[in-house]
Amino acid sequence: MNNNSKIYVAGHRGMVGSAIVRHLTGSGFTNLILKTSAELDLRNQQSVNDFFKNEKPEYVFLAAAKVGGINANNIYRAEFLYDNLAIEINVIEAAKQNSVKKLLFLGSSCIYPKSAPQPLKEEYLLTGILESTNEPYAIAKIAGIKLCEAYRSQYGCNFISAMPTNLYGPNDNYDLEKSHVLPALIRKFHAAKTNGSSEVIVWGSGKPMREFLHVDDLAAACLILMQKYDGVGFLNVGFGSDISISDLSFLLADIVGFKGKIVFDTSRADGTVRKLMDSSKMQALGWQPKIGLKQGISDTYKIFHEQFLHI
Ligand code: GDP
């Protein structure tokens, strides 16, 4: 891949896609193709085929997906399965038909069995049952991995996959019913501080452990994978350590400046107990996360504050 290569970043308005675009642009790549979902509905096979035929991208970062937190995953089960499968089959097949040189598909750490040993190694895929709250999303993402593997073995396509851990950073979704925990709690603590509320409700027991990676660190990993990795298997991309939702809540309250009470609502689902990934294969390619959790959250809160002054 050189600075003039024609690169399509699918999902460039989302948190992951926009971070990849920032990183590619900052690294000197000048020939990026970007389409909003209004311009190109990736669930529509004909539109995707026409787009690939006309544009002939050489490299594809497949960061487009229907994503959400535990609540959205659990409620919109059909949409999470259908939309993600449709995006994957349309883009991967069109990439093959139009001789894309390399494609990177982005999955998620929720592909692993809910009781898999920790830290999660790539070979634990499909060794047990999935966590039910996000099973449809996980099934779609597993299908994406398998599509890349099958297109490689049957057609010789250089299609690879990366499995990022829970992500946060600029352009996250702050909708309280659909978002992930970190943006949701930034918003809740900020609103409570601003309104003078004495308590904030955190879903679940606070006991689940989660690993959080700043999306800019993921973007750097994606470029390394595109430039250096042509292997069959997918690679984990994680931060390397995790934190309980309870400790995360106290950290966020501290950063935001909320001094009231934190109440754990145990009527809400906890989801997976723990999903810390083993990212040693990714690290062997020369990648390391650079943004610490406290720094990353402080930066993210600053951007949130500037963007959502009204909340
Ligand atoms: P998950 O990693 O797929 O389970 O996705 P989430 O980021 O949505 O949730 C992670 C954990 O944070 C779960 O145990 C949630 O119950 C917990 N959590 C606590 N408060 C919240 C909240 O306000 N929103 C969300 N999405 N999760 C929360």
Side-chain angles (χ1 to χ4, degrees), residues 68-71 73 133-134 166 176 179-182 184-185 188 201-204 208 210 245 268-272 275:
I70 191 165
N71 193 49
N73 267 279
T133 49
N134 54 22
N166 290 41
L176 289 181
S179 65
H180 283 101
V181 62
L182 203 148
L185 294 186
K188 285 185 187 176
I201 309 284
V202 172
W203 296 350
R210 291 291 183 274
I245 297 302
R268 308 291 300 230
D270 267 346
T272 311
K275 41 182 173 175

Side-chain angles (χ1 to χ4, degrees), residues 203-221:
W203 296 350
S205 65
K207 289 182 188 151
M209 303 288 291
R210 291 291 183 274
E211 183 185 17
F212 295 96
L213 180 72
H214 193 283
V215 73
D216 286 346
D217 277 329
L218 171 70

Side-chain angles (χ1 to χ4, degrees), residues 13 30 61 65 74 89 100 104 109 115 121 123 138 144 172 180 207 212 217 229 233 245 289 292:
R13 286 261 188 96
T30 53
F61 289 87
N74 206 9
I89 57 167
V100 163
L104 170 64
S109 60
S115 309
K121 290 181 191 292
E123 57 263 34
D172 208 341
H180 283 101
K207 289 182 188 151
F212 295 96
D217 277 329
Y229 183 72
I245 297 302

